[in-house]
Amino acid sequence: IYKSPYPDVHIPKTSVFTHVFASRGPGDVGGFPGATKAFVDAASGAYLTRAQLRDLALTFGHGLRTHPATKPLARRGDTLLIYSPNSLAWPVVLFGSVAAGLRCTTANSAYTSRELAHQYTDSQAKLLITTEDGIRTVREMFAELGVAKREGDKRIIVVGRDLQWAGGPTIPPSVDAAGLLAMEDLLKGGKMESEERFDGDLSNETSYICYSSGTTGKPKGVETTHLNAIALLSIIGPHFPPCKAQDVLISVLPFYHIYALIQVLHLPFLLGLPVIVQPRFEPTVFCANIEKYKVTISLIVPPILVVLARHPAAEKFNLSTLRFLFSGAAPLGKDLVHQVKQRLRKLGAICEISQGYGLTETSPTTHLLSVEDSERKMGSIGSLLPNLEARLVDDEDGNVDAEEGSPGELWIRGPTVMKGYLNNPAATANSITPDGWFKTGDVAIKDKDGHYYIVDRRKELIKYKGFQVPPAELEAILLTHPDIADSAVIGVDDVVEATELPRAYVVHAHPEKIQTAAAKALFAQSVVKWMETQVAKHKFLRGGVAVTNEIPKSAAGKILRRELRDLAKKEATS
Ligand code: 4UV
């Protein structure tokens, strides 16, 4: 059992809301002056101060618990689903919900009605908050689930008609939103004196439910407890680079994913940093915002570094304020890091780049590469964070440990390991051992200095630009295609874009219909197009579709993904 090289830290036994917002002195909110900026909308410049955010969250929580439309659906322990791109409303909704004793489940704002239906149903959400742009998909989802429009509409809250509460514009309500409850309606009736009291065991009280496919199958609800989140914030805080009063952080990472949920919505607030909220990554807008807000820090995924290394926009704006980029969610190549550092140096920025590693199930970060080690150990995910233990396991059951310096599956134990998969004891038992070890499905090596390297992935998961793409989900969808008899989806590397691309192998239901290479290519192309009508963008089959006679399977019927990955490599080089 490997221990963290760092001494254990104290983990307060309190609720998320208290941990984030409790005053430590007069006029302060969470340890910093209440009048300082917490979240800034990049486009309009509208912002929420720390005190405004706390007060609006308590007001929203009060609205949820008392408004006649939401009262019966927002009881203690009920779940609210957030289906919205990043915005200033996000932290209000999130912290307001947990203050009111609710759980939040967070969905990708690009989800189709089918994807949303899975999460809405599986999480047993009672309420759903979305923007005007999301209403149509939500209504489609209710229709697909057989819920009458009137009943479905009762569960929808629309955010963003009037952003004046955040110093933003008033937008006239759309026709679609007419008759639906608006977030603003919940901000009119006073505020809770303080958050809902938690009397029970906070290590068992779920606050957030993000979705992850884990090592296999469809996305599952990951129960992150109040204590999981606070443990993560406590163990990572001291290891994040030292922040100065003038530091400004920008993030384009989607708030629904655990990485931003914890490290953008919670961590900067605890460190006293303002967060510039840019809802979507667009290279020119990103660089323009760095100049406009004199940004010093950004949390990113590797494909954003590709842009900083090559995109002409980087030269059009003043990026000289940047001093730290933190990457995560996917492998980070050494060469890419050097290219970005060199280019930024030419543009006048002395910028350190390091990375973290983690999973939705570990709330998320388990490893972090310190700035001091970032040059020397580039490519490593860094050292194990405090309060955590790790094993590198050489067999399925954990009876054999890998030799020192040899690869093994990374197992993690500690206070940030999720409570379990929501309503799925079988999946939980498959991923957490009775003595508390969580199996990451990633294969790692540890060097003699205690730095870990991810060298392989044993699980099915594909990552497109840091987004999860569960192969089993795409395979199930492919099987609904009338001309497909069998399918398997794997990830193929795209070195230029620093990501993996989902690629499908399909068996035609009537092979005699597509005998020529041209007919096969045409069919493959039609499958790529068809998939684009079924799933969110990040799951498109960007790695292409190949028609094959048979999917390689084990005697037990399991897809032999390694064979397909080897085949894909051969196809790429031939
Ligand atoms: O469940 P998930 O989608 O979770 C994440 C979490 C990302 C991060 C990033 C920076 C942090 O500091 C942090 O705490 C968390 O993406 O996907 C988990 C899988 O993503 C791969 C790995 O296969 C995980 O099982 N992954 C995540 N980070 C890295 C990574 C990395 N630095 N290097 C290689 N693979």
Side-chain angles (χ1 to χ4, degrees), residues 85-86 250-254 277-290 298-309 311 313-314 325 465 467 497 537:
N86 291 5
I250 191 167
S251 187
V252 295
L253 303 173
V277 179
Q278 178 183 329
R280 226 160 31 90
F281 181 70
E282 203 283 311
T284 307
V285 179
F286 183 65
C287 295
N289 282 330
I290 293 175
S298 189
L299 300 189
I300 53 160
V301 286
I304 296 181
L305 288 179
V306 175
V307 167
L308 289 176
H311 200 282
L325 294 170
K465 301 200 171 180
F467 292 104
E497 292 291 328
K537 254 186 170 163

Side-chain angles (χ1 to χ4, degrees), residues 6-61:
Y6 307 113
D8 278 2
V9 296
H10 169 67
I11 297 167
K13 285 200 166 41
T14 179
S15 68
V16 165
F17 192 86
T18 295
H19 189 68
V20 173
F21 292 103
S23 290
R24 302 196 173 98
D28 91 57
V29 175
F32 295 88
T36 51
K37 291 178 188 175
F39 292 93
V40 182
D41 177 63
S44 68
Y47 62 85
L48 294 175
T49 65
R50 299 173 70 87
Q52 279 171 332
L53 174 57
R54 180 198 53 199
D55 292 350
L56 277 164
L58 289 171
T59 308
F60 183 73

Side-chain angles (χ1 to χ4, degrees), residues 290-447:
I290 293 175
E291 174 179 299
K292 181 173 168 191
Y293 292 101
K294 299 191 169 44
V295 167
T296 57
I297 300 178
S298 189
L299 300 189
I300 53 160
V301 286
I304 296 181
L305 288 179
V306 175
V307 167
L308 289 176
R310 301 203 190 106
H311 200 282
E315 275 156 22
K316 294 205 185 100
F317 298 94
N318 180 357
L319 308 186
S320 67
T321 48
L322 273 182
R323 69 176 192 91
F324 182 56
L325 294 170
F326 183 81
S327 173
L332 179 63
K334 261 190 207 172
D335 293 346
L336 182 58
V337 171
H338 286 136
Q339 285 165 20
V340 174
K341 280 183 124 176
Q342 260 178 12
R343 188 163 194 224
L344 287 175
R345 202 167 297 140
K346 276 194 206 140
L347 299 173
I350 305 294
C351 186
E352 301 293 348
I353 302 175
S354 84
Q355 69 167 325
Y357 159 91
L359 307 91
T360 308
E361 290 85 344
T362 51
S363 313
T365 321
T366 63
H367 291 72
L368 191 146
L369 180 64
S370 70
V371 170
E372 297 75 49
D373 289 327
S374 64
E375 260 309 314
R376 197 167 58 93
K377 296 284 184 180
M378 188 44 69
S380 159
I381 56 167
S383 317
L384 189 63
L385 285 172
N387 302 53
L388 300 180
E389 297 174 303
R391 284 182 64 189
L392 294 175
V393 170
D394 206 15
D395 68 336
E396 291 266 312
D397 306 323
N399 295 324
V400 186
D401 287 295
E403 304 250 322
E404 187 95 45
S406 304
E409 183 183 354
L410 177 63
W411 288 17
I412 298 288
R413 187 162 68 179
T416 52
V417 171
M418 66 167 175
K419 181 171 160 185
Y421 292 115
L422 183 70
N423 300 326
N424 198 337
T428 305
N430 271 335
S431 65
I432 305 179
T433 67
D435 51 350
W437 289 101
F438 169 72
K439 308 172 186 176
T440 67
D442 291 310
V443 179
I445 288 181
K446 184 177 80 69
D447 71 15

